[in-house]
Amino acid sequence: MSVTGDPLRGALQPDVIDPSGGANQTRVRAYNERLVMSLVRRHGSLSKAEIARRSGLSAQTVSVIMRALESDGLLIRGDPVRGRVGQPSIPMRLNPDAVFSFGVKIGRRSTDLVLMDFVGSIRLHLHQIHAYPLPADLVAFIIDGTEKLQAQLKPEERKRIAGIGIATPFELWNWAEEVGAPREEMDKWRDFDLTAAIAGRSRYPVFLQNDGTSACGAELAFGVGANYPDFVYFYIGSFIGGGVVINSALFSGRTGTAGAVGPLPVSGKDGRTTQLLKIASVFVLEKLLRGHGVDPKPLWYSADDWIDFGEPLEIWIQDSAAALAQAVVSAASIIDFSAAVIDGGFPPWVKSRLLAATRKALTTLDLQGVTVPDLVEGAVGSHARAIGGASLPLFSRYLLDTNVLFKEL
């Protein structure tokens, strides 16, 4: 089942409606309903008067919409807020249990499958480690995993699953050498249609997006996006990727890979020019660990539970920080970003050390003519790519792109 349409121009229309699904799963919300839900999502909770002011809709229209959304269980009431005069206002917020979605992150060393609720919280999670990703194995993991996770839901909750969103690196076959995979095995990705393979075996609509772009979208929707209308985003996984946000909207570009950042040219500590991904990627740390006689497997067990690998980790942090600082300056030289956001598949303490080292590295560069953006830690964390994937069905059916909200008063 595919979905077509422009979310900025009106309601999306599904090609096929599954009659077995519930109302929340199959109904595509009208534009104004999606606008109201998007405003509420962005601000946490809003009263009817606040929604009318921010949306430009009449108070009567907002009342009708809010009653419908509350009746459908998409909005729930907060505690009344009493002012000095008049009736107390009642803030409305999204119902976390109203809609669920599956998010898949495909990595070079592991795959994650999450079940996310309507406000971006992960409810259930499966993790699989692999030496390198293969199409048949991943399809089996996704199909079996979604069946396993939905079996843990109540029957009425299963009807509220909006779809499956997949965050994956593009052109996986290009990384055979870096991940130590046989080229003939990775070449299987060249003509493989992952979206069609999943859709053919699942009852849910399937969406696919570049993994770096997905992580950036998650940061925009659920992280620091409310504070920075323009930012360049770096996500350090097995290979570094990223995204670009302009005017509070994700800019994916002509081919969907804008802000990929990995190919950015930087100088290594030997003075030679190389690509950012060949320095500031976890696969480089993996090689460093092996070179120091340390087993790198703990890197892939859990992104939040790394041990301190000592000297090789510190070498990687310093080298990555020097390269990231150059990348930040390059990006800021093209677009006057308000922030550069750095996140990755590692624990918060590693992220803090990397940010501190990058800030220090920036002071060693020639910054004449460059307005250096704020250097900010990503707020979403190691599951950003999976959360970004899980967001795709939600934005397709229930919410609006964030740039629609940029004109708020």
Side-chain angles (χ1 to χ4, degrees):
M1 173 173 169
S2 60
V3 177
T4 59
D6 184 346
L8 304 185
R9 296 179 183 173
L12 296 169
Q13 298 298 324
D15 295 332
V16 180
I17 293 296
D18 179 0
S20 66
N24 285 342
Q25 179 186 342
T26 58
R27 182 182 176 190
V28 177
R29 313 305 301 197
Y31 180 92
N32 285 343
E33 291 179 321
R34 289 151 60 96
L35 175 58
V36 168
M37 285 189 287
S38 296
L39 286 166
V40 172
R41 181 203 60 77
R42 182 170 186 181
H43 295 278
S45 65
L46 287 175
S47 67
K48 179 177 68 175
E50 290 172 321
I51 292 173
R53 178 175 66 85
R54 293 178 183 277
S55 67
L57 300 173
S58 69
Q60 181 179 4
T61 297
V62 171
S63 293
V64 172
I65 290 173
M66 291 177 70
R67 282 198 298 270
L69 295 177
E70 185 179 13
S71 176
D72 285 349
L74 292 166
L75 292 182
I76 54 179
R77 297 177 179 235
D79 296 329
V81 178
R82 298 186 179 277
R84 293 183 179 179
V85 295
Q87 295 293 321
S89 64
I90 300 176
M92 303 294 286
R93 57 187 177 87
L94 295 182
N95 178 7
D97 297 324
V99 187
F100 302 99
S101 61
F102 291 113
V104 179
K105 180 275 295 184
I106 297 175
R108 275 76 175 189
R109 296 300 190 201
S110 64
T111 301
D112 289 278
L113 171 65
V114 303
L115 180 77
M116 190 179 81
D117 65 23
F118 203 26
V119 297
S121 297
I122 293 176
R123 297 292 187 90
L124 299 170
H125 175 216
L126 294 176
H127 178 71
Q128 174 177 273
I129 297 173
H130 47 241
Y132 44 85
L134 291 176
D137 295 341
L138 285 176
V139 171
F141 173 72
I142 294 169
I143 296 301
D144 295 344
T146 53
E147 292 295 324
K148 181 178 180 179
L149 294 186
Q150 74 166 2
Q152 300 180 52
L153 301 177
K154 298 175 183 178
E156 61 270 21
E157 292 175 327
R158 295 173 200 163
K159 296 179 181 180
R160 303 175 199 156
I161 297 175
I164 302 171
I166 302 172
T168 180
F170 289 169
E171 298 186 357
L172 275 162
W173 56 87
N174 281 332
W175 309 111
E177 181 179 350
E178 284 80 1
V179 301
R183 182 162 296 279
E184 63 272 14
E185 290 290 317
M186 296 302 287
D187 277 347
K188 294 177 180 179
W189 284 104
R190 288 185 181 273
D191 300 315
F192 187 76
D193 189 336
L194 181 60
T195 303
I198 300 298
R201 296 180 57 184
S202 174
R203 66 176 65 90
Y204 303 115
V206 180
F207 305 80
L208 186 142
Q209 190 176 61
N210 175 265
D211 59 338
T213 304
S214 294
C216 186
E219 192 65 46
L220 174 62
F222 303 112
V224 304
N227 302 322
Y228 295 99
D230 310 287
F231 63 87
V232 58
Y233 176 81
F234 300 88
Y235 187 91
I236 303 171
S238 295
F239 293 83
I240 190 170
V244 169
V245 169
I246 300 176
N247 290 344
S248 294
L250 189 65
F251 180 74
S252 57
R254 177 176 55 87
T255 62
T257 58
V261 306
L264 273 171
V266 295
S267 294
K269 56 187 177 184
D270 60 0
R272 295 182 179 180
T273 300
T274 187
Q275 291 187 327
L276 177 64
L277 67 87
K278 294 182 179 179
I279 298 176
S281 295
V282 176
F283 90 90
V284 178
L285 174 58
E286 182 181 5
K287 290 184 176 180
L288 271 171
L289 292 174
R290 286 200 174 99
H292 282 74
V294 179
D295 184 359
K297 289 181 182 177
L299 291 174
W300 316 117
Y301 292 149
S302 172
D304 294 321
D305 296 321
W306 282 16
I307 61 174
D308 190 337
F309 293 100
E311 181 184 2
L313 176 61
E314 182 60 22
I315 292 172
W316 178 77
I317 286 175
Q318 294 300 324
D319 291 350
S320 296
L324 283 166
Q326 296 174 64
V328 169
V329 171
S330 295
S333 299
I334 303 299
I335 297 177
D336 187 19
F337 289 109
S338 55
V341 182
I342 298 177
D343 211 338
F346 35 62
W349 60 268
V350 174
K351 181 163 50 179
S352 296
R353 285 171 58 179
L354 181 61
L355 264 290
T358 304
R359 290 190 181 99
K360 184 176 180 180
L362 277 169
T363 66
T364 68
L365 300 178
D366 183 355
L367 301 177
Q368 184 175 354
V370 178
T371 301
V372 179
D374 293 344
L375 206 58
V376 182
E377 290 188 19
V380 179
S382 60
H383 292 301
R385 292 168 292 181
I387 290 173
S391 299
L392 298 176
L394 301 187
F395 277 88
S396 175
R397 290 176 173 270
Y398 297 100
L399 302 169
L400 290 176
D401 227 342
T402 312
N403 59 355
V404 176
L405 311 181
F406 185 63
K407 299 177 182 179
E408 296 173 36
L409 300 177

